[in-house]
């Protein structure tokens, strides 16, 4: 089985390559390297001892896509390619709709032309909006995402739902990620943010290696155990193993399915900082700042559907997530650069 991995040189995509190869899939990578690194793919080759065909180019370029589909007999596409910074999406909304929404339109058109109808899409818990019901179950109505990034994910979800309804040949999995963190246990691949990290754990990791002086904690007046925000952090290797299970499920069933990928357990910002300090043995200086606009207080997943339908559940715990992040950071203080 041949899997085309769009965005395979990025954080989650590169880890997915490892899981797919370990599950005996042949992978082909497409990435325009706007936020990814060819080095990540080379390191996956080192981990897996496999040569990976890599195409540098853009999913919005239909000629480029068609040539990949001509060269390789692709059975399924796992679609990670897109832009993901919430803050940048507020500053450059049209760019986000172009990369994410137009990118996906171009991809599914190319797939239809090539007769490929199996797709796994990286969605996000952000589509639930600011729900008062926890844990978040797939049956809950989607909410109103608070930024263009979140809206682009919701639009793509709705578009793919219409597509699946319009033609029964399509078999589509929408995977709603909670908060992916961690790195491959080898420490060879991990998250390598460009510029100052937006997300909590990469920021904490850079404070630990003294690339950044202090962590700003966004709000300590939420209605939570210690006043800081709670999220469902999931180890990236658990997350990508969920993709393998989703592909296997889509091989047997058609239509469109939605699955949450989380652990079902939430941790506060202060709990994450404590865990990082004890694993790394480094002090993480922090201070409290006002709440970040658009943040929800709490967010965690109901993971029962993925457990029942995919036979998948996250295996790695908080110490694995933090320990693997730390190993990656200490071995690669400048990321891939
Ligand atoms: P990433 O930026 O590390 O990876 C995305 C990859 O796609 C990059 O390598 C980038 O160069 C490539 N890319 C972007 N636009 C492209 C285009 N038009 N053509 C070809 N390649 C393109 O991000 P990630 O963290 O690995 O996220 C992967 C996917 O998961 C994204 O769609 C993201 O929105 C989604 N997601 C991520 C998170 C998270 O916290 N990391 C949470 C929810 C959903
Ligand atoms: N936080 C800080 N300081 C920081 C960064 C984050 O206190 O420097 C806090 C946030 O306020 C939040 C928690 O840490 O309470 C997690 O924040 P992240 O930025 O790591 O993650 P988010 O939950 O905001 O967002 C992530 C992805 C989005 C995705 C969303 C879905 O980055 O792409 O999960 O729930 F849409």
């Amino acid at each position: 089985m041949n899997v085309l991995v769009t965005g395979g040189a990025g954080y989650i995509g590169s880890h997915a390559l490892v899981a797919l190869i370990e599950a005996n899939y042949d992978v082909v990578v497409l990435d325009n390297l706007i936020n990814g690194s060819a080095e990540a793919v080379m390191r996956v080759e080192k981990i897996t001892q496999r040569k990976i065909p890599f195409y540098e180019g853009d999913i919005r370029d239909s000629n480029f896509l068609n040539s990949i589909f001509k060269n390789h007999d692709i059975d399924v596409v796992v679609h990670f390619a897109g832009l993901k910074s919430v803050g940048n999406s507020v500053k450059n909304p049209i760019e986000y709709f172009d990369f994410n929404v137009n990118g996906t339109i171009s991809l599914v058109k190319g797939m239809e032309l090539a007769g490929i109808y199996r797709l796994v899409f990286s969605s996000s818990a952000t589509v639930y909006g600011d729900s008062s019901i926890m844990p978040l179950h797939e049956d809950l109505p989607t909410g109103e995402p608070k930024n263009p990034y979140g809206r682009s994910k919701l639009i793509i979800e709705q578009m793919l739902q219409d597509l699946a309804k319009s033609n029964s040949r399509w078999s589509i999995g929408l995977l709603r990620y909670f908060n992916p963190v961690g790195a491959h246990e080898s420490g060879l691949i991990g998250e390598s943010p460009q510029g100052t990290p937006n997300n909590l754990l990469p920021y904490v990791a850079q404070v630990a290696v003294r690339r950044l002086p202090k962590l700003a904690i966004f709000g300590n007046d939420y209605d939570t155990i210690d006043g800081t925000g709670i999220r469902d952090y999931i180890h990236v290797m658990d997350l990508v193993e969920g993709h393998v299970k989703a592909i296997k499920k889509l091989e047997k069933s058609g239509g469109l399915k939605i699955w949450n990928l989380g652990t079902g357990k939430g941790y506060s910002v202060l709990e994450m900082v404590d865990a990082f300090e004890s694993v790394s043995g480094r002090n993480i200086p922090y201070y409290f700042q006002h709440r970040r606009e658009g943040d929800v207080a709490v967010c965690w997943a109901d993971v029962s559907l993925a457990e029942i339908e995919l036979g998948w559940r996250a295996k790695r715990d908080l110490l694995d997530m933090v320990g693997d992040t730390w190993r990656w950071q200490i071995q690669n203080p400048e990321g891939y650069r």
Side-chain angles (χ1 to χ4, degrees), residues 5 12-13 136 168 171-172 214 236 256 262 290 308 337:
V5 181
I12 303 173
L136 294 161
S168 60
S171 182
I172 300 176
K214 256 183 189 188
V236 66
L256 179 138
H290 51 80
I308 295 164
R337 282 168 288 280

Side-chain angles (χ1 to χ4, degrees), residues 6-14 30-37 57-60 64 79-84 98-100 103 121-125 149 153 175-180 191 199:
T6 75
Y11 169 45
I12 303 173
S14 57
L30 175 176
D31 200 299
N32 66 1
L33 300 183
I34 193 165
N35 198 41
S37 164
D58 201 292
I59 49 168
R60 293 165 300 170
F64 170 66
H79 178 31
F80 296 103
L83 301 180
K84 64 163 181 176
D98 188 19
F99 271 74
N100 295 358
F121 173 64
S122 303
S123 190
S124 164
Y149 165 75
K153 290 288 174 190
L175 304 185
R176 291 181 178 161
Y177 306 165
F178 281 68
N179 287 60
E191 189 169 8
N199 297 116

